Amino acid sequence: MMLATAAVRGLTRRSFSTSKVLSAQQLTVRDALNSALDEEMERDERVFLLGEEVAQYDGAYKVSRGLWKKYGDKRVIDTPITEMGFAGIAVGAAFAGLRPVCEFMTFNFSMQAIDQVINSAAKTFYMSAGTVNVPIVFRGPNGAAAGVGAQHSQCFGAWYSHCPGLKVISPYDSEDAKGLMKAAIRDPDPVVCLENEMLYGVGFPVSDQVLDKEFVLPIGKAKIMRPGKHITLVAHSKAVENALQAANELAGKGVECEVINLRSLRPLDTETIFKSVQKTHHLVTVEQGWPQSGIGSEICARIMEHETFFHLDAPVWRVTGVDVPMPYAKSLEAAALPQTHDVVTAVNKVLGIK
């Protein structure tokens, strides 16, 4: 009960407020995405943004703040509430050689447009024998927010990464957000960018390199956030925060966790995972999505099918969201999402620590 209460207290309240850069080397995820969009629109006149409230309202989460005033109606377009319609317009524009960025106010609403994402965007390059590229980005908040119920809290990482023809990125911090968004916009193929609403207002320290206009991260390459030798923790999006917090707590007990931020769900950087597990001999995966057929399940299968399996000294453990629709009650919502103490418990079980 005490753990649940602490978890609830630690949840960030939902906020639609704008954010400002805190210092020269501090950047929020919201501003990182905004600068990535701005820089790429400035660099390439074929890039344009469309979606609900992206223009005059500056975006539901203020990610597109200032872009309509700078680039005008033709390149920042407010759409009606019709995901199937404006996603179709965006895909058609990509067929014709433009580079649309299609915002879903939440990826839960992308279900209205999934035929356009899967059947039109993801499959056309293959079905045209490589003659028609579809350079489009589908972006928006994914997964759990706070107090928005079952229909607005789902993680679509496993859904979209299941589909050949799509690239799927899942940024955690400001460096991820800026570098991966710029890479997605420049990519010749459709990219799904799964952001997290709860991270938009979080500031992260960034280097001068990240602030540079030419900073781009490769899609399909994970990042080791913290080196360690006893166990590997693999996570994406907000679950990276849980993994890093657990690693900090466990370090105080002499357990050194290697924390991997996947950054990209498709393609999946198995090489980085394999190398880490061959060093630590133990693995825990962490994600906010449901357990069945999830990202952790895929990582388990890849390990099993590779010689890395023989380096394991214990079974792989998955830490996931609970296998239920998201409850509305705050206490139950906290219980349905993986918390830091869940990761610590999993590590202790894998390592046999009592």
Side-chain angles (χ1 to χ4, degrees):
M1 185 67 179
M2 288 178 66
L3 288 173
T5 304
V8 170
R9 197 179 296 123
L11 286 175
T12 309
R13 293 187 64 82
R14 185 183 178 103
S15 173
F16 289 92
S17 65
T18 60
S19 60
K20 296 179 180 178
V21 178
L22 301 178
S23 68
Q25 298 297 316
Q26 194 85 4
L27 190 66
T28 65
V29 171
R30 175 184 291 112
D31 291 330
L33 290 165
N34 180 269
S35 64
L37 290 166
D38 185 17
E39 289 168 12
E40 292 306 302
M41 291 179 76
E42 190 176 79
R43 175 180 175 271
D44 187 343
E45 63 181 12
R46 297 172 298 172
V47 178
F48 71 98
L49 174 67
L50 80 167
E52 294 153 357
E53 298 185 346
V54 299
Q56 296 185 43
Y57 189 64
D58 277 342
Y61 308 99
K62 308 309 174 193
V63 169
S64 55
R65 184 180 55 213
L67 298 182
W68 174 66
K69 290 179 181 176
K70 182 173 181 179
Y71 296 103
D73 290 323
K74 287 189 176 180
R75 297 187 63 194
V76 185
I77 304 167
D78 278 331
T79 67
I81 303 173
T82 169
E83 282 77 14
M84 173 64 88
F86 68 73
I89 290 170
V91 172
F95 286 173
L98 298 178
R99 290 183 170 269
V101 178
C102 177
E103 176 180 309
F104 296 120
M105 194 179 288
T106 155
F107 260 95
N108 298 274
F109 302 156
S110 75
M111 293 294 92
Q112 299 288 334
I114 198 164
D115 182 60
Q116 301 290 1
V117 179
I118 302 298
N119 281 328
S120 297
K123 298 176 182 177
T124 294
F125 183 71
Y126 172 83
M127 294 180 73
S128 68
T131 61
V132 180
N133 284 98
V134 191
I136 186 171
V137 178
F138 299 101
R139 58 154 295 270
N142 169 69
V148 291
Q151 294 173 323
H152 298 77
S153 301
Q154 188 173 330
C155 176
F156 290 91
W159 288 55
Y160 286 116
S161 65
H162 181 66
C163 180
L166 290 178
K167 295 174 182 174
V168 183
I169 55 178
S170 183
Y172 162 60
D173 59 17
S174 301
E175 178 181 315
D176 294 355
K178 185 177 183 189
L180 291 172
M181 177 57 67
K182 289 171 74 73
I185 292 171
R186 297 184 187 190
D187 202 277
D189 299 309
V191 180
V192 171
C193 180
L194 302 172
E195 301 154 15
N196 187 283
E197 181 187 335
M198 306 307 288
L199 293 172
Y200 280 150
V202 179
F204 291 91
V206 293
S207 65
D208 290 334
Q209 182 186 11
V210 174
L211 298 174
D212 189 271
K213 286 189 175 184
E214 290 307 310
F215 176 73
V216 179
L217 288 172
I219 294 175
K221 184 64 181 170
K223 179 184 179 183
I224 297 176
M225 304 291 286
R226 178 187 178 121
K229 60 183 179 179
H230 296 128
I231 190 166
T232 301
L233 306 180
V234 179
H236 71 95
S237 190
K238 198 169 189 303
V240 175
E241 181 181 286
N242 299 124
L244 288 170
Q245 290 172 349
N248 270 338
E249 184 176 329
L250 288 158
K253 302 173 183 176
V255 177
E256 292 298 330
C257 304
E258 182 144 293
V259 179
I260 296 176
N261 170 10
L262 285 174
R263 285 182 166 172
S264 179
L265 305 182
R266 186 181 184 105
L268 194 62
D269 185 4
T270 52
E271 182 182 352
T272 296
I273 299 170
F274 292 160
K275 283 183 178 178
S276 178
V277 174
Q278 287 171 21
K279 177 179 70 173
T280 66
H281 309 291
H282 302 90
L283 174 63
V284 169
T285 66
V286 191
E287 62 189 305
Q288 287 197 333
W290 292 316
Q292 182 162 321
S293 308
I295 302 302
S297 303
E298 179 64 24
I299 292 170
C300 289
R302 300 281 185 102
I303 294 280
M304 287 285 291
E305 294 163 357
H306 190 263
E307 64 167 323
T308 303
F309 172 74
F310 299 104
H311 291 262
L312 285 171
D313 288 342
V316 179
W317 198 282
R318 293 178 298 155
V319 177
T320 71
V322 177
D323 197 22
V324 296
M326 182 62 70
Y328 178 73
K330 197 170 186 180
S331 57
L332 293 177
E333 182 181 67
L337 290 169
Q339 307 293 340
T340 298
H341 66 83
D342 297 316
V343 182
V344 172
T345 299
V347 168
N348 286 337
K349 287 184 177 179
V350 171
L351 293 178
I353 300 171
K354 295 183 179 179

